[in-house]
Structures are given as C-alpha cells and as structure tokens.
C-alpha cells in the first residue's frame, strides 16, 4: 500500500515538460522548449561559406520558421523567399513566409559547425552525432533528464 502511494505521488510530481529533441535514433540531445519559445539552428552555409542563423519557434507539435540571418546577403537570398533582405549592424536578415513542419531533418557535416541553441542550452551537432542524419522535433517528456 505504501509503495503504491509513493508511485502515484511520484507520478504527480513529474509534470510533463515540453522539450526539443535532436536524435539520430541512437543518441539524442534534449533541452526544454516551451510553446512559443524560439531556438536557433546555426551553421556555415556550404555554397558561400557564410555563417547562417535560422530562427525557429515551437508551435504546438510543429516547428515554425521565422527568419534567416547571415553576414553574406547571398546566403539569405539562397532561401528564395522573394523578398529583399534587410541590412543591419549584424549583417542581413529576411523574415520567412509562413512555414511550419513537424520536424527538421538535418544531415550533419562536421565542417559546417552545426548547432541548435536557445538562451539556456545548446547542442553541438557534429560533436554528438558525427556525420549522421538527425531529426529535430518538439516533444513532451516526463522531465528534461528523461532522455
């Protein structure tokens, strides 16, 4: 009877946590990401060898693309969104047309320094996954440590 009570109390304390999961099926990187929170996917663009930051947002069980930024205008124009990139002190950016997806599929190439990051955590994709294909999805876990 005491064991049952302890188990139900423990389950009540383990409130679900919204997270972002990057996995190759064998390894994973998990960090908290609440509804409406943003994260960045940073990398070196292969054609122009320019740094790119994609700003993305959790929208329920989907990922919404918000903006792309780079120091090289060509890396922003490469998205083909048809607008005019804006120039500011940090380079160029363009807001994305509306686009949502249930997941990102990323081919990891160590020379492109790929990273997923929020204001509180980050994941060095090549260091963890080598040259794998990684799926990035919003999820809900019992806790962030539940990996």
């Amino acid at each position: 009877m005491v064991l049952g009570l302890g188990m139900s109390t423990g389950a009540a304390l383990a409130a679900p946590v919204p997270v972002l999961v990057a996995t190759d099926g064998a390894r994973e990187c998990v960090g908290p990401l609440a509804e409406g929170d943003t994260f960045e996917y940073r990398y070196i663009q292969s054609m122009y060898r320019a740094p790119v930051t994609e700003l993305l947002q959790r929208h329920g069980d989907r990922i919404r693309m918000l903006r792309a930024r780079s120091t090289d205008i060509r890396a922003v124009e490469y998205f083909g969104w048809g607008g005019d990139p804006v120039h500011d002190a940090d380079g160029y950016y363009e807001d994305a047309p509306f686009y949502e997806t249930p997941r990102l599929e990323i081919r990891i190439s160590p020379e492109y320094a790929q990273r997923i990051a929020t204001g509180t955590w980050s994941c060095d994709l090549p260091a963890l996954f080598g040259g794998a294909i990684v799926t990035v999805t919003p999820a809900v876990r019992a806790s962030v440590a539940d990996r």
Side-chain angles (χ1 to χ4, degrees), residues 27-60:
R27 296 159 294 205
E28 61 182 22
C29 178
V30 178
L33 190 70
E35 171 64 24
D37 282 355
T38 60
F39 68 99
E40 295 178 340
Y41 170 44
R42 300 179 200 152
Y43 55 92
I44 303 298
Q45 202 266 358
S46 61
M47 184 175 294
Y48 302 113
R49 299 287 182 190
V52 172
T53 300
E54 296 180 15
L55 181 64
L56 302 122
Q57 180 183 49
R58 182 190 185 122
H59 190 248

Side-chain angles (χ1 to χ4, degrees), residues 95-119:
D95 291 333
F98 181 82
Y99 176 75
E100 285 186 344
T101 184
R103 71 189 149 282
L104 301 177
E105 298 284 333
I106 302 172
R107 157 83 57 199
I108 306 303
S109 298
E111 66 271 22
Y112 300 133
Q114 294 149 291
R115 176 176 297 278
I116 292 174
T118 71

Side-chain angles (χ1 to χ4, degrees), residues 50-135:
V52 172
T53 300
E54 296 180 15
L55 181 64
L56 302 122
Q57 180 183 49
R58 182 190 185 122
H59 190 248
D61 62 352
R62 301 179 69 78
I63 296 170
R64 183 176 288 174
M65 176 71 140
L66 299 177
R67 173 179 287 172
R69 172 178 288 285
S70 179
T71 55
D72 188 325
I73 193 171
R74 298 172 301 172
V76 176
E77 292 171 336
Y78 187 80
F79 284 88
W81 294 334
D84 292 320
V86 176
H87 184 259
D88 65 13
D90 296 323
Y92 299 88
Y93 72 89
E94 186 173 350
D95 291 333
F98 181 82
Y99 176 75
E100 285 186 344
T101 184
R103 71 189 149 282
L104 301 177
E105 298 284 333
I106 302 172
R107 157 83 57 199
I108 306 303
S109 298
E111 66 271 22
Y112 300 133
Q114 294 149 291
R115 176 176 297 278
I116 292 174
T118 71
T120 59
W121 63 272
S122 70
C123 182
D124 180 334
L125 299 173
L128 182 58
F129 299 110
I133 295 175
V134 172
T135 302

